[in-house]
Structure formats: structure tokens, C-alpha cells
Amino acid sequence: MSTVFTKIIQGEIPGRFVYKDEEVAAFLTIEPIAYGHTLVVPVKEIDKWTDIEPALWAKMNDVAQRVGNAIIEAFGSERAGYLIAGFEVPHAHIHVFPANDMSGYDLSTVMKMDETDPAKMDEAAEKLRAALEA
């Protein structure tokens, strides 16, 4: 059975992509810690990050770093947070988000879907795509 991330990657359900190639995709999470919170995932379904082949893991981290730099530029945050949790969806993913303190590392405080503003989510995706293209 396909994960929700695979369904997003394959276009079966909508996603706000900021990056995508044959091996790695990056899209905004629907429950962000802050606007701009992005998930970097392998296109191939792999449950645990510890099972990802080293070359693909290196590529995912390269994309995560590029997204992190784009987040700092686009949102003016002091840093870009990086977190691996992976219990909510059985598809490995790296959380990258605007961070000005440690509060972003507490995923229990995310905005729920009905708390996010779709226009702000779209704007965040546009800002990140523009920063990544620059």
C-alpha cells in the first residue's frame, strides 16, 4: 500500500512541491511548525532513514541543506531546523523548518491543517521555490 507521501509524489493527492527529481522530493508539510516547514523525502518508499543507501542519503541531505538555506533567506529565520522523527508516516523524511529557538523541535506544537492559512502556505512554497532557483 502506498504511503501518503508516495501519493503526493505521484500526484494522486495535492502537494506544495519546492523541489523534485527522480530520487528526492521536497514539499511543504500540511501540519507545519512554521510556514515554510518542508519535508525532504526519497521518491522510493523507504520506511527508516537508517535503511537508505548512502548515496541517496547524501543526496537527500544535499537537498535538505539547500532547502534550509532557502528557508533562512525566504523567511529571515536565524537558522533552519533539521529533524528526523518518522513515526507518523512510514516513509523516511527529513523535516526542515524556520528556527529562531528550540521550540520548532517540538512537533507536538505543529499547526493543524484547519489552523493553517492556504494563502500563506502557497506564499511560503513560492518563496522557497524562488530562493531555491536564485
Side-chain angles (χ1 to χ4, degrees), residues 31-42:
E31 293 189 335
I33 199 72
Y35 289 105
H37 184 163
T38 302
L39 302 177
V40 178
V41 304

Side-chain angles (χ1 to χ4, degrees), residues 40 44-45 85 89 95:
V40 178
K44 180 180 176 183
E45 283 187 21
V89 177
H95 294 260

Side-chain angles (χ1 to χ4, degrees), residues 29-59:
T29 180
I30 59 172
E31 293 189 335
I33 199 72
Y35 289 105
H37 184 163
T38 302
L39 302 177
V40 178
V41 304
V43 169
K44 180 180 176 183
E45 283 187 21
I46 303 170
D47 183 8
K48 300 174 188 168
W49 72 269
T50 52
D51 292 336
I52 299 171
E53 294 178 23
L56 178 56
W57 181 244
K59 184 171 184 178

Side-chain angles (χ1 to χ4, degrees), residues 5 47-49 83-93 95 107:
F5 293 166
D47 183 8
K48 300 174 188 168
W49 72 269
L83 181 67
I84 301 168
F87 287 99
E88 59 282 346
V89 177
H91 192 142
H93 53 287
H95 294 260
L107 295 180

Side-chain angles (χ1 to χ4, degrees), residues 1-74:
M1 174 180 260
S2 294
T3 69
V4 67
F5 293 166
T6 296
K7 291 177 182 181
I8 291 168
I9 292 165
Q10 293 177 346
E12 295 174 31
I13 56 178
R16 291 178 175 92
F17 286 89
V18 298
Y19 177 90
K20 184 178 176 191
D21 67 24
E22 304 81 32
E23 297 179 300
V24 178
F27 48 85
L28 297 188
T29 180
I30 59 172
E31 293 189 335
I33 199 72
Y35 289 105
H37 184 163
T38 302
L39 302 177
V40 178
V41 304
V43 169
K44 180 180 176 183
E45 283 187 21
I46 303 170
D47 183 8
K48 300 174 188 168
W49 72 269
T50 52
D51 292 336
I52 299 171
E53 294 178 23
L56 178 56
W57 181 244
K59 184 171 184 178
M60 287 177 62
N61 278 277
D62 177 63
V63 172
Q65 186 176 38
R66 289 167 47 200
V67 168
N69 284 322
I71 282 172
I72 291 167
E73 180 182 327

